[in-house]
Amino acid sequence: MTRTINRRRALAAGAATVGMATALTGRNAEAGPLPDVWGQDFLMQWSPPNDVKRDLTPGKSHVRLSCSSYRLSNKEGTDYAALVKSIRDAGWAACEAGSAGWRKMPDSEMRELKDVLRQNDLLFYALHVWVNIIHPDAAEREKAQQHVIESVARAEEMGLKFILTHTGGRDAKNKDKPHPENWTRETWEQSVRATRRIIKDTSGSTVALAFEAVNSCNNNTPQSHVRLMKDVGDPRVKVTLDPTNMLHPGVVFRTTELINTCFDLLGEDICYAHGKDVQWNDMLPGLEWVIPGTGVMDYATYLVRLSRMKEPRPLLLEFLKKEQFPEAKKNVEDIARKVGVTIYS
């Protein structure tokens, strides 16, 4: 039997979604990515409402800038003092490391690294995990999940509060490649089962799994972050906030609303944030990476909302050539200065 979806049923479903998210987070959740602007009878609602106001009142927390071209490594023989100094000398106050090359260290070496980080006031906040926990091949899927489990152990040794990870996708070669089955209920349930397994196999750990949205996969809105936390049902499921990874033509010119929705729904579950920017320059919806502060992303609102977090959060600038990061850093610092947000130095 074909079920007719009418406006009344759609509104009822939306009300149920709001109730679910409110029960979970204590915050009101819109049923869709962003609210309608001119009512449900209109077509594409991609232009922002005329009455969008930006509340740029800063909070008390500072923001530590991090950079994807200046990451920590623990390869054997690494001169930690020189490496950490090079990151600080480039002006970055925080850093992460890729999980793929992060090895288990002897206690003495770990103490040495922690001492160097403390002496240079460099915040090492997370391991960045890039694997496909729902890979279509069973052996590769098991390998990926085991890597996340091992990364939790490595993070705990270093005293890190979280790792970055992803819900995965159905393409066998690239988890971020769009696939027609990425948004099916079956794929979503695979992501939930994989996450529950990782949580179970790392039980007793305090290291959170901070999931990053990817617009080509099933976790690609603030609402999907809320749903993932609900469906997995464990407080260790958290958020790596990347609003640029949520962009599509319907929200690309509504980033103020998108950013506020992210912070309103996810709040203190946001472990840290990613900083990127894009422009939509052609007829087809292909978004091009640009230097932060020169594209569509509302960095004034983004920085202000980060500054209102109870504790300071790092902001990772990424997806640029190494020589572009100084300009990106300066743009973010200039915007922060204008709105009264402190960038930690």
Side-chain angles (χ1 to χ4, degrees), residues 221-340:
T221 65
Q223 289 78 13
S224 64
H225 277 298
V226 173
R227 181 64 181 265
L228 184 66
M229 290 188 284
K230 172 184 178 293
D231 286 3
V232 176
D234 190 281
R236 288 172 56 206
V237 177
K238 300 292 185 183
V239 177
T240 294
L241 181 60
D242 195 329
T244 312
N245 279 6
M246 302 179 190
L247 292 183
H248 58 79
V251 298
V252 73
F253 296 119
R254 301 180 67 182
T255 63
T256 299
E257 297 164 87
L258 175 63
I259 290 168
N260 282 327
T261 299
C262 287
F263 281 94
D264 289 347
L265 291 185
L266 305 173
E268 297 299 318
D269 287 322
I270 298 169
C271 292
Y272 87 121
H274 284 186
K276 301 197 285 284
D277 211 340
V278 298
Q279 285 282 16
W280 182 10
N281 293 324
D282 287 308
M283 179 179 69
L284 292 177
L287 307 179
E288 300 177 12
W289 300 116
V290 296
I291 292 173
T294 67
V296 300
M297 189 56 59
D298 181 359
Y299 266 85
T301 297
Y302 198 9
L303 292 167
V304 163
R305 293 304 302 256
L306 281 171
S307 76
R308 294 182 194 166
M309 304 289 285
K310 292 180 181 179
E311 300 292 336
R313 298 299 200 271
L315 174 63
L316 171 74
L317 304 186
E318 59 175 354
F319 280 42
L320 296 173
K321 297 177 181 178
K322 190 170 185 177
E323 61 268 21
Q324 293 177 306
F325 281 110
E327 181 181 350
K329 181 174 178 290
K330 182 180 184 302
N331 286 355
V332 172
E333 290 171 339
D334 287 346
I335 295 169
R337 192 177 301 110
K338 290 178 181 176
V339 295

Side-chain angles (χ1 to χ4, degrees), residues 32-230:
L34 287 177
D36 291 340
V37 180
W38 298 283
Q40 292 183 341
D41 60 330
F42 197 66
L43 301 174
M44 302 301 184
Q45 309 209 13
W46 293 358
S47 295
N50 295 327
D51 59 351
V52 170
K53 293 181 175 63
R54 296 195 301 170
D55 179 1
L56 298 181
T57 306
K60 297 180 180 179
S61 289
H62 61 252
V63 176
R64 281 183 178 255
L65 292 183
S66 175
C67 172
S68 59
S69 286
Y70 290 87
R71 284 181 168 172
L72 208 58
S73 169
N74 73 342
K75 291 181 180 179
E76 290 188 22
T78 297
D79 184 340
Y80 294 123
L83 176 58
V84 170
K85 185 177 184 300
S86 70
I87 297 173
R88 285 303 264 136
D89 286 349
W92 307 102
C95 70
E96 61 183 32
S99 64
W102 196 263
R103 62 186 172 86
K104 182 175 177 60
M105 293 186 289
D107 289 345
S108 58
E109 185 179 353
M110 199 179 312
R111 286 194 298 270
E112 176 192 355
L113 174 54
K114 290 180 179 180
D115 287 343
V116 170
L117 290 167
R118 183 170 54 254
Q119 291 163 9
N120 287 272
D121 192 18
L122 180 66
L123 175 66
F124 175 35
Y125 55 85
L127 292 178
H128 190 128
V129 181
W130 196 90
V131 294
N132 191 354
I133 63 174
I134 59 167
H135 196 287
D137 178 77
E140 290 297 320
R141 183 166 62 247
E142 176 65 19
K143 180 180 176 181
Q145 293 180 19
Q146 283 296 333
H147 179 76
V148 179
I149 292 166
E150 292 167 6
S151 296
V152 169
R154 300 292 81 77
E156 192 156 37
E157 291 167 354
M158 284 300 302
L160 306 181
K161 295 181 179 180
F162 62 91
I163 64 169
L164 178 154
T165 191
H166 304 88
T167 56
R170 299 294 287 268
D171 186 81
K173 295 181 179 179
N174 182 350
K175 73 173 185 60
D176 293 338
K177 183 178 179 179
H179 188 283
E181 296 178 17
N182 275 359
W183 302 276
T184 63
R185 180 174 291 275
E186 179 185 359
T187 300
W188 178 260
E189 290 174 351
Q190 286 182 5
S191 297
V192 170
R193 285 196 301 271
T195 304
R196 285 177 175 167
R197 182 268 174 103
I198 293 166
I199 290 288
K200 180 180 178 182
D201 285 5
T202 58
S203 62
S205 174
T206 60
V207 175
L209 307 180
F211 283 87
E212 178 186 14
V214 176
N215 52 10
S216 54
C217 298
N218 57 21
N219 179 27
N220 58 3
T221 65
Q223 289 78 13
S224 64
H225 277 298
V226 173
R227 181 64 181 265
L228 184 66
M229 290 188 284
K230 172 184 178 293

